Amino acid sequence: MEKLGRLVGRGYTCRPRNAEVLPPLRLAPAASSVRGRRAVVTAAVVPPSSVPAASSSAAVAAVCGTLAVQVHRRGGRHWRLRSCKGRTATAAANFVRGGSSSSSTRTTVNATVTPAHAADASSTADTAVRWSADEVRRAFIEFYKNKKDHDFVASSPVVPLNDPTLLFANAGMNQFKAIFMGQLEPNSPLQGVTRAVNSQKCIRAGGKHNDLDDVGRDVYHHTFFEMLGNWSFGDYFKEEAIDWAWELLTEVYGLSPDRLYASYFGGDESLGLPADFEARDFWLKHLPASRILPFGKGDNFWEMGAVGPCGPCSELHYDRIGGRDAAELVNADDPDVIEIWNLVFMQFYRDESGSLSSLPNQHIDTGMGLERVVSVLQDKRSNYDTDVFGPLLAALHDQVGGDTYQGRIGSEDRGLRDTAYRVIVDHARTLTLAVADGALPSNEGRGYVLRRILRRAVRYGRQKLDAPSGFFSKLVPTVVECLSAGYPDLSDAVCERVQAVLREEELAFDRTVDRGMQYFEGLKAELAKDGRNAVPGDQAFLLYDSLGFPIDLTQQMAEEAGLSVDMAGFEDAMEQQKERSREAQREQQALEQGVRPLQLVAEQTAWLDSQGITFTADEQKYEWDARPAACIKAIFSDDGFVQSTDEIEQSSSGTSVGIVLDSTSFYAEAGGQVGDVGGFSSEGGQQLFDVKVTQVFGGYVLHNGLKPAASLRVGDKVYCEVDYKHRRQVACNHTMTHALNWALREVLGEGVDQRGSLVTAEKLRFDFSYEANSGVSSTDLQKVELLVQDLISADVPVTWQTASLSQAQSITGLRAVAGEAYPDPVRVVTMGSSSVDSMLASPTEASWQQQSVEFCGGTHISRSSEAGSFVLLEEQGISKGVRRIVAVTSAAAKHAQEDGSRLRQELESLEAQSTVDEQALQELGKLFDAADFSAPLKADCRDRLGKLRKQLKKQQKKQKKGAKASAEEVAGAKATLLDATAAAREAGLTYCVVAIQGPGMDGKAFRNIISDSSLGDMAILVISKLDDGAAEVLASVPDSLTKGAGDWVASTLGPLGGKGGGSASFAQGSAKAAGTETLAKAELAAKEFFAAVG
């Protein structure tokens, strides 16, 4: 017998068949009895005001019976309402499992039917049944799309592809950032969009916005959430945003107006801004003044960052209890008075000095967390009690057994079982969506954040729920099932891929998690014994570095044990690593750029527009060997726009300058391709300005360089001189990146997708998805390399054409980067005998797969043969499921081929010898490691080197066996040893060190010699240098001296890099190579050791 109130969220859903006709009834918590398997009934049943508590049983039965609730659960167990009967204020609903009553299992749920005590009680009960998470999302989007004329813009990937400042998409406005910053490209698919609506996938774990540490401790923080939002880009503003928000909440969602409160910006003297009375007055149309509250900039002034667009905002708060004045509880962290929606009025821009100026266009950016508004609409005080998390909690319980999720927090959650439930289901959503959108667990950046999240979830499961190994990845299908209605890209194939990635990552941690927890338990006991309450920093670092425990996981375990962590000690070690990395990165950037590039943001692009300066015409960027004239329209520096470069102060390290022209032939950095370099000159050819970096911001191409010696002014005429030698090498590498993409698909299959690329004049780098744990085999790499080389030899044309996005997307075999937003129209590039024209005329032809065809806005060669050659230098894994290839073309490829051919010939020469020359083999191995040549050839050569090394070992063993000393050699060695010991005795020494040449002394001969009674109590060590360059060491120490022969041998072999062992009385060892100098050092070490201890 269980209370119905505890059964909510167990994975069952309720679907009233005629909810539009009859309001639902609520069954108050009561006992349920089931014969057979238990059914969980989550239907809320409250009689409407039209059915009073004193109604006849017939009236109650009629309402319940007509409602015809169907309760079902995944897995095929279905329940439907069969009958309802009861006395005046009590009714019993009879549910049947199965198809017919004769073959069904019945369950009866007894409950008290309570009347609706107020008008909004009925409304709340109604919404509790109707508003599933999917329905809430759908209603929001349809309201703004169909009723308010907004464009639906699908959620961007949760992994930002074009914003390096973000680890993850953490707000709905992220994908519209270019609009707010005034940097939207003219051909962006967002051009022309003035109103937008969507539900954005968001992750807040890492960086400025990080909810990771709070997840599990309460019932409303999440690392993954959905943000419902609507936007206006220079279209409507405050009044419409406020009116429509009110309409949606009260008329569509049916929330009681009496429970809603609005806040507005109350002004700030430090900002020089008055109160936003305009927003307040618009709210007065809907709310009494007592429920419209002013707050300061901390609550009601929104900023994108320290620099950028910002503005006042207005928040909507909801009182879960109702029937009271809750104004004092707004923004007071009361769990029953919560913010549900934030309306941002983006109207200012903050510059580096902190000053505010008005934006050229005013925007609206609103955000409402789906999980929170669902909890309101379903009348649940916890987000985890809604249907957002119910199926996941049920799926987790199916694996771990024991008590179901009870919703306990704080001190009530003994053993942290419910905390573990919350952590795991939240993290399952986060990881599923992140991996689905292209991120992968790794050791850096967002990949490391994901690895931390997974290990946090696994640790909770294993330690708090006693979950079986591999439990976490099994939650992925449930996550996909719950979210696929809102995000159709979560296909079965994606589900399988995500599950495979997380399964492997989870199993990798499984191998260390138990050991790590055991280590921590031992450490905890040791600290308790010593009376200490802090985990030492070096121990925390050991857990991190050796056992894979992220520091926050160690902190969490420490907190649960009542301990702290010495973070200063931990961070010392980490900071040293980070500083080394930062220094290397700074050096690399300085080497590559030679200049610090400037950037244009909203304030600057708006200023350019206000001056009547149009976007830079850059159509000539696809032309070759051109020298077009252009006019300087703007000169930009760290201090802003100037009329002349003479106004810019020169610094000792060089001052960055950015120049905007009316037109340009320079290609600006985009799509993984570096920008052009070159310069501006006068009509007569005098060099005026060196262009080091070319970038584009909101349609304005900025040519970056150092302040020139010559004076340049706005309005000057200059001639663009692109470094076409540099451009041509970049183009060769870019075109061969396309060829590589095509070849990988040909060899490895359709599962290979581009994950990123970098094209420079020196090399090309291509990242792609590939699930094989061992990477791409050398055989497959050779096939890929040969395919690209054959394509170059075939001298096929490279053609391109601009086409509508929808038309281009229909071309069979077309390759595009997953999640990338392409412009419309889009540029299509193909390499092969068929042109883009013919593909567009018949896009479904299967033969198009036989040649490379991609979306691309970069620069390319006109025929494949211009690349000259292609060599695949390197293939490696960079994260789970993602591989990286580095390759070169043209002259660099020819050099690599020549090096590879030369080294292969040297290897063949070595292989042809009857015996292996050890020194030659070692030197050749070093040359192979240092040289850049074909990766598949290098793999083959390394295998052959390995065979030669094995051959050498056999050769050396054979030589050693055949190197037994002759009788004469043994006699000579004995005579040398006896003479040396006699001299040592005369010198008053108790030890003797002797170096001999050749195999005259082996273990057997040595034992025979030291058994001679004439040696007395003398410690003896012999160093024999063999003919093959190796050395052997033998030592004997009599018992009377009580010295260690083993330590003596070890000390002697130290300078030789050898190894040995034995007892205190007799020991021996050897070293592979011993030169004259190292032998002398070994002899000295032997003497110093025995002299020191003797």
Side-chain angles (χ1 to χ4, degrees), residues 931-946:
D932 283 333
F933 61 99
S934 171
L937 174 60
K938 184 176 283 192
D940 175 64
C941 290
R942 281 177 171 160
D943 288 342
R944 291 160 65 180
L945 283 171

Side-chain angles (χ1 to χ4, degrees), residues 236-293:
Y236 63 84
F237 203 45
K238 295 180 184 178
E239 183 172 16
E240 294 88 343
I242 288 171
D243 289 347
W244 295 345
W246 183 262
E247 181 181 348
L248 177 73
L249 291 180
T250 60
E251 297 181 24
V252 177
Y253 288 153
L255 291 181
S256 170
D258 295 337
R259 296 191 180 198
L260 291 170
Y261 296 77
S263 66
Y264 67 93
F265 178 55
D268 190 280
E269 290 185 8
S270 65
L271 297 177
L273 294 177
D276 189 3
F277 293 128
E278 184 182 22
R280 180 202 62 183
D281 293 344
F282 288 138
W283 279 120
L284 285 171
K285 295 192 296 182
H286 308 290
L287 288 167
S290 60
R291 285 196 277 129
I292 307 171
L293 312 169

Side-chain angles (χ1 to χ4, degrees), residues 486-525:
Y487 307 99
D489 52 319
L490 291 173
S491 62
D492 290 342
V494 170
C495 179
E496 291 176 8
R497 178 175 64 82
V498 173
Q499 194 167 10
V501 169
L502 297 186
R503 182 189 305 118
E504 182 164 334
E505 182 72 16
E506 181 180 6
L507 293 178
F509 185 50
D510 270 342
R511 290 190 282 269
T512 61
V513 63
D514 291 332
R515 189 156 54 99
M517 290 191 295
Q518 290 171 5
Y519 182 88
F520 185 82
E521 289 301 317
L523 178 61
K524 185 171 69 172

Side-chain angles (χ1 to χ4, degrees), residues 383-461:
N383 293 354
Y384 293 91
D385 289 339
T386 67
D387 69 332
V388 173
F389 291 96
L392 267 171
L393 290 166
L396 177 57
H397 179 258
D398 287 345
Q399 292 195 68
V400 302
D403 291 342
T404 59
Y405 175 67
Q406 304 294 318
R408 295 165 297 202
I409 61 174
S411 59
E412 294 181 1
D413 187 21
R414 295 180 180 177
L416 301 179
R417 185 176 181 85
D418 286 347
T419 299
Y421 266 110
R422 288 188 290 270
V423 167
I424 293 166
V425 297
D426 170 88
H427 292 3
R429 284 164 34 106
T430 299
L431 285 155
T432 298
L433 271 296
V435 174
D437 280 349
L440 291 166
S442 67
N443 284 328
E444 58 184 12
R446 65 170 63 98
Y448 182 60
V449 175
L450 296 180
R451 179 162 285 170
R452 287 171 51 208
I453 293 173
L454 182 139
R455 294 184 174 187
R456 187 173 190 257
V458 171
R459 198 277 298 188
Y460 262 112

